[in-house]
Amino acid sequence: MTQQVSGTTFLVTENRPELDSRDPMRAQADFAPYFFDNGPYSHNGNMALFSLSEDTPVGTQIYCLNGTDPEGQEVSYGISFDPGSKEYFRINPKTGNVTLVEKLDREKQDSFDVLVSITDGKSQVVERVTIFVMDANDEKPQFQNMPAIIDVLETTESGHSIFKAEAVDRDTGSGGSVTYYLLNAQSSLFAIDRHSGVIRIKPEEMLDYEKTKTHFLTVVAKDGGGTFNGKEQFLSSSSTLTINVIDVQDTPPSFIGTPYFGYVYEVSTPGSEIFTVVAKDGDVGNPNPIRYSFDEGDDGVFSINETTGLITLLTSPVYLKREVFNIKVKASEVSPRGRLLDYGVTMLVIRVVDLNNNPPTFYGENGTQSMFELTMYEHPPEGEILRGLKITVRDSDQGANAKFNLRLIGPGRMLRVVPQTVLNEAQVTILVEDSAAMDYERQHFLTYKLLAVEIDTPERFSSTADIVIHLLDTNDNAPKFSSDYYIARIPENSPGGCNVVSVLAIDPDSGPWGEVKYSIYGSGADLFLIQPSTGIIYTQPWASLDAEVRSKYNFYVKAEDSEGKYSLAEIFVTVLDLNDHPPAFNDNFLEKTMVIGAPVKIEAVDDDAEVPNNVIQYAIMKAEPDNNIFDIDCDTGEINLKSYIKSMAIIQNITKKRDCTWSLVVQARDRGQPSFSTTAVVKIDITEAVKSRFVSYFLGLRKRPRAVFGIFMTAATFTISLTVLISTLIYWNSVKKSRVTPQGKIRKIIRRP
């Protein structure tokens, strides 16, 4: 059974056994399952009027088929496509979830039919639904008529359209709209209408075949943008338009290889070829033939071939009345009909060549000149022309006799002469070749010789001219110190204003530019001053240098010219230590306890900063009651008993006393010049080595009454505290034993016999 509802075609099929009229349960009707129709914008139902964007990723769950069975039977779903069609979807029969398995492309297929089905196992409903593929901005604009090559006349007016670019974007909506523009439009002669794609020549611009024969335009077509994969994107493409400019007849002929010089030699005969002029139509794209003729100056002694431009002599050189002929030659265009059109004119100079009897000669503004002088600033730009030198060189002979070379002879390769080969006459140009070498500080003036030597003559005539260039100074140098750093030494306690070191910087520039001013700066410069003009560094008037406080200073000195160009050098100042501190003991009276076999060390300190001023030597000046019992290490200050003294008995035998106390006068002397010394009295108690440290400590307490008092007070405090603690414990124990018992218990005690 086939039905059609709301544009959706569906088929109902039944698969059940024959109904038995005798069984009422079997006689009951079985209704087919059906889909829910949730509308076109739903993702849950029968996919009727369902639409899907073409950029949906493969593997995305796009829909869920949903339906029911009237009898409540469990249903399953299916999906299929027409034979030969691409299968875009896959379905889960139980859940009805539909998954995209093939990439969509709206530009290839914007809709397709799908057969969706629902079954309860007995009846199956199949519906044909149409899926619409929605557009995404995934297509670039495609040019329909480009790349292209067009021809445009060079006389085309400004603002005239010359081409219309057409591009199509297969996307819909804004993604399918196209706008146009040109790359590097500002430097182009052309403009494009962004909507229509019409390309025009810009206003006030003209094409010129003689300047540019071909133009290349890059046209870009850009869509209006749209969504793709959830992001906004704009796509564009480009193509090239080649514009060939077509020449028109708007430029007169021009001569090639001017200026022209021809020569008539003494041996020439009538009919001799003198010179050939060559002209070309300025409209090289479509040139006309050229016809040559004399305009004036030929005096009837020369003829010109109107087709080839060959000029010949008509008479013998003997009959020529002038040495130089200035002939105007005309080149005219000839139209296809033979009519003369536009023309060009040039000057041909024909000289009558005689014997080689004239050397090359240099000329200035006032005639022949052999010395040229110029004053200029040093270091001109390389390639600059020395325009102050007005030099012309000329050989009055004719032909090969007037051909010569120019050379510039002088120091280095600072200058170059142009031209290097001359025929007859030339304006001499001197160019700067090495700007750095033209240095006023090296030499105040430059002297060159300009040499002209004939090339192909047996005589090889030559001439010279002196060129003297006076250089003017510029401030092109910064002051430079004689050293990158300066090391100075100054004794401590030097008076304020004492000179420390003198620095020197030289600026080779002249005048005010060569005057140097000095200054100092840096964290170590506070105690110093510098004379700005001489570079002498000295201490501040109030400065007091002390090597024991600070012995090293470093700072920078700056040398600067009048325009602020400067250089730096570093100053290192060392304050030399003087022996101005004597050694000093902590106390002039020292008490020590010596255990036989162990040394006693005393120490003095010298506040001088450097050796040998702070190196101390020790010596025993006097010992009582005996002078020959102790030794002292002169470097460390360690006092030892003589090696033969091993016990107290030996000492008592020497002194005849039981009291082993010695008084020593010890001297500490430094090694400076002059040397200073200090003495101290050292009282030493000698004990046996077997005494414990504890006993030795208490023996030493005899000389330390404060320590004895502290020990006594500590012992007394401990004794009192212990007494209080014991008394407290006894008291609380008594209280515990004397507590009153309950009254009932008292009665029992009383009743006892």
Side-chain angles (χ1 to χ4, degrees):
M1 177 175 60
T2 303
Q3 299 182 13
Q4 184 170 2
V5 179
S6 300
T8 301
T9 303
F10 61 90
L11 175 68
V12 180
T13 61
E14 297 183 356
N15 181 19
R16 59 176 180 242
E18 292 295 329
L19 297 177
D20 189 349
S21 60
R22 295 173 296 179
D23 189 346
M25 295 299 293
R26 292 186 176 181
Q28 184 179 359
D30 183 17
F31 295 97
Y34 61 89
F35 285 106
F36 295 125
D37 187 0
N38 293 328
Y41 301 107
S42 173
H43 287 73
N44 188 307
N46 63 347
M47 295 186 79
L49 300 178
F50 177 65
S51 60
L52 183 63
S53 178
E54 65 175 327
D55 61 349
T56 303
V58 173
T60 303
Q61 179 182 325
I62 60 171
Y63 202 87
C64 181
L65 292 177
N66 193 8
T68 186
D69 182 71
E71 289 79 28
Q73 296 293 327
E74 183 179 356
V75 297
S76 62
Y77 305 94
I79 193 168
S80 62
F81 296 83
D82 291 334
S85 299
K86 182 181 289 187
E87 297 184 359
Y88 288 97
F89 304 135
R90 182 175 63 244
I91 189 168
N92 186 318
K94 293 184 178 181
T95 63
N97 291 333
V98 180
T99 303
L100 180 67
V101 295
E102 291 289 343
K103 182 66 178 176
L104 300 175
D105 190 346
R106 188 201 66 83
E107 287 72 32
K108 293 181 179 179
Q109 187 175 6
D110 59 359
S111 67
F112 53 88
D113 290 342
V114 178
L115 298 174
V116 296
S117 63
I118 182 172
T119 180
D120 61 358
K122 297 178 180 180
S123 300
Q124 182 181 31
V125 176
V126 180
E127 297 186 6
R128 176 181 293 274
V129 295
T130 300
I131 307 299
F132 298 96
V133 181
M134 306 305 292
D135 189 40
N137 190 25
D138 61 340
E139 294 290 332
K140 294 182 179 180
Q142 299 294 326
F143 283 95
Q144 304 299 302
N145 58 347
M146 293 179 66
I149 301 175
I150 62 173
D151 296 332
V152 181
L153 292 175
E154 66 174 333
T155 55
T156 303
E157 296 180 356
S158 300
H160 189 77
S161 63
I162 60 173
F163 187 78
K164 182 178 180 180
E166 295 181 2
V168 175
D169 193 319
R170 296 194 297 169
D171 292 320
T172 60
S174 63
S177 64
V178 180
T179 55
Y180 305 89
Y181 64 92
L182 299 178
L183 286 182
N184 301 323
Q186 293 183 351
S187 60
S188 173
L189 300 177
F190 306 92
I192 190 169
D193 187 283
R194 63 189 305 267
H195 299 292
S196 66
V198 173
I199 299 175
R200 304 176 185 273
I201 300 175
K202 286 182 179 179
E204 300 182 0
E205 296 286 356
M206 291 293 294
L207 301 179
D208 191 342
Y209 177 87
E210 285 69 36
K211 290 184 178 178
T212 306
K213 298 177 178 60
T214 304
H215 298 269
F216 299 95
L217 297 184
T218 301
V219 182
V220 179
K222 183 179 180 181
D223 65 19
T227 303
F228 182 75
N229 290 334
K231 296 182 180 179
E232 185 79 9
Q233 76 170 0
F234 296 85
L235 299 177
S236 64
S237 59
S238 62
S239 188
T240 301
L241 176 64
T242 303
I243 302 172
N244 293 324
V245 181
I246 304 303
D247 191 23
V248 296
Q249 294 297 327
D250 61 347
T251 306
S254 60
F255 286 92
I256 299 174
T258 58
Y260 291 147
F261 297 95
Y263 304 96
V264 176
Y265 299 100
E266 292 179 327
V267 295
S268 299
T269 59
S272 298
E273 297 179 359
I274 304 302
F275 198 82
T276 299
V277 296
V278 179
K280 288 187 177 182
D281 189 352
D283 304 302
V284 295
N286 185 24
N288 285 325
I290 302 297
R291 181 175 295 175
Y292 300 97
S293 61
F294 288 137
D295 197 27
E296 62 178 28
D298 62 299
D299 290 355
V301 296
F302 299 98
S303 67
I304 185 169
N305 187 304
E306 64 178 15
T307 303
T308 63
L310 176 63
I311 298 171
T312 57
L313 181 64
L314 296 178
T315 184
S316 174
V318 178
Y319 300 106
L320 298 179
K321 298 179 180 180
R322 289 190 289 169
E323 291 185 358
V324 178
F325 293 85
N326 295 313
I327 303 174
K328 284 187 178 180
V329 182
K330 179 190 290 186
S332 304
E333 296 182 39
V334 181
S335 69
R337 296 182 180 181
R339 187 167 58 91
L340 296 180
L341 302 176
D342 205 354
Y343 65 90
V345 177
T346 190
M347 182 67 70
L348 169 63
V349 178
I350 297 179
R351 297 180 180 274
V352 180
V353 179
D354 60 354
L355 298 176
N356 184 30
N357 53 3
N358 295 292
T361 306
F362 293 99
Y363 296 88
E365 293 179 325
N366 300 319
T368 305
Q369 191 170 330
S370 61
M371 176 175 285
F372 299 86
E373 293 188 80
L374 174 66
T375 300
M376 61 183 296
Y377 285 103
E378 62 177 336
H379 305 305
E382 292 185 0
E384 180 174 318
I385 298 174
L386 304 187
R387 303 186 184 278
L389 296 175
K390 307 292 184 180
I391 306 174
T392 302
V393 61
R394 183 187 308 145
D395 192 323
S396 300
D397 293 321
Q398 302 297 321
N401 295 333
K403 189 175 183 180
F404 54 94
N405 285 339
L406 286 178
R407 285 188 297 168
L408 196 61
I409 302 173
R413 297 183 178 179
M414 290 179 265
L415 302 176
R416 179 166 59 93
V417 63
V418 175
Q420 295 183 348
T421 301
V422 179
L423 184 62
N424 290 110
E425 182 178 349
Q427 183 74 33
V428 179
T429 301
I430 307 296
L431 301 176
V432 177
E433 188 84 0
D434 187 356
S435 174
M438 299 182 68
D439 192 353
Y440 175 85
E441 286 71 35
R442 296 181 184 176
Q443 45 196 349
H444 295 350
F445 62 89
L446 306 173
T447 301
Y448 284 85
K449 280 195 177 293
L450 184 58
L451 176 63
V453 182
E454 292 180 346
I455 301 175
D456 298 324
T457 64
E459 296 83 7
R460 303 279 289 183
F461 288 138
S462 65
S463 61
T464 60
D466 293 323
I467 298 177
V468 180
I469 300 174
H470 300 275
L471 296 178
L472 299 178
D473 193 21
T474 61
N475 189 21
D476 60 331
N477 294 284
K480 184 176 179 59
F481 282 97
S482 59
S483 176
D484 292 334
Y485 58 90
Y486 295 86
I487 298 175
R489 296 177 178 83
I490 183 172
E492 64 176 340
N493 301 330
S494 297
C498 181
N499 290 348
V500 178
V501 66
S502 178
V503 299
L504 177 63
I506 298 176
D507 191 325
D509 293 319
S510 62
W513 297 324
E515 296 177 1
V516 179
K517 290 186 178 180
Y518 301 93
S519 60
I520 59 174
Y521 68 94
S523 59
D526 298 339
L527 298 180
F528 304 92
L529 296 173
I530 189 170
Q531 294 182 3
S533 58
T534 63
I536 296 176
I537 298 175
Y538 57 96
T539 58
Q540 294 271 15
W542 45 265
S544 176
L545 301 178
D546 190 342
E548 288 75 38
V549 176
R550 182 175 179 180
S551 61
K552 304 288 185 182
Y553 296 87
N554 71 289
F555 49 89
Y556 292 94
V557 59
K558 179 179 181 181
E560 186 175 13
D561 65 16
S562 59
E563 289 188 352
K565 292 187 176 182
Y566 68 91
S567 61
L568 301 175
E570 194 166 4
I571 307 297
F572 297 92
V573 179
T574 300
V575 180
L576 300 177
D577 184 41
L578 298 179
N579 192 23
D580 54 352
H581 292 86
F585 292 98
N586 291 336
D587 196 344
N588 290 333
F589 184 80
L590 304 175
E591 294 184 357
K592 300 286 184 179
T593 300
M594 175 182 285
V595 178
I596 294 178
V600 171
K601 185 176 182 179
I602 60 173
E603 187 175 8
V605 177
D606 193 315
D607 290 335
D608 287 315
E610 299 177 0
V611 296
N613 297 334
N614 57 5
V615 177
I616 299 175
Q617 288 184 320
Y618 300 91
I620 298 175
M621 307 303 295
K622 183 178 180 182
E624 292 181 354
D626 192 290
N627 220 7
N628 192 28
I629 192 173
F630 294 100
D631 289 327
I632 189 169
D633 190 308
C634 64
D635 295 321
T636 64
E638 288 186 350
I639 300 175
N640 289 282
L641 292 171
K642 295 285 188 180
S643 59
Y644 62 87
I645 299 177
K646 304 294 184 180
S647 65
M648 289 292 295
I650 298 174
I651 298 174
Q652 292 170 355
N653 187 40
I654 294 173
T655 59
K656 308 301 182 182
K657 295 180 181 179
R658 297 190 59 83
D659 184 12
C660 296
T661 300
W662 257 258
S663 292
L664 281 70
V665 178
V666 179
Q667 181 190 67
R669 177 180 292 276
D670 62 30
R671 294 186 179 180
Q673 293 293 331
S675 178
F676 292 102
S677 64
T678 302
T679 58
V681 176
V682 182
K683 187 174 182 181
I684 299 177
D685 289 335
I686 303 175
T687 63
E688 289 282 0
V690 295
K691 291 183 180 179
S692 66
R693 288 186 179 180
F694 188 75
V695 174
S696 300
Y697 175 76
F698 275 98
L699 288 175
L701 289 179
R702 292 181 297 171
K703 287 85 174 178
R704 299 166 60 191
R706 291 185 180 181
V708 173
F709 178 75
I711 293 172
F712 174 77
M713 291 300 297
T714 302
T717 302
F718 177 76
T719 303
I720 294 172
S721 299
L722 183 61
T723 303
V724 171
L725 178 61
I726 294 173
S727 300
T728 302
L729 292 175
I730 294 173
Y731 170 75
W732 284 109
N733 189 39
S734 301
V735 169
K736 183 177 180 181
K737 290 181 178 181
S738 62
R739 284 181 181 175
V740 179
T741 59
Q743 197 165 359
K745 293 183 178 181
I746 297 174
R747 289 194 189 103
K748 289 181 181 181
I749 296 172
I750 295 174
R751 288 176 184 176
R752 283 182 182 180

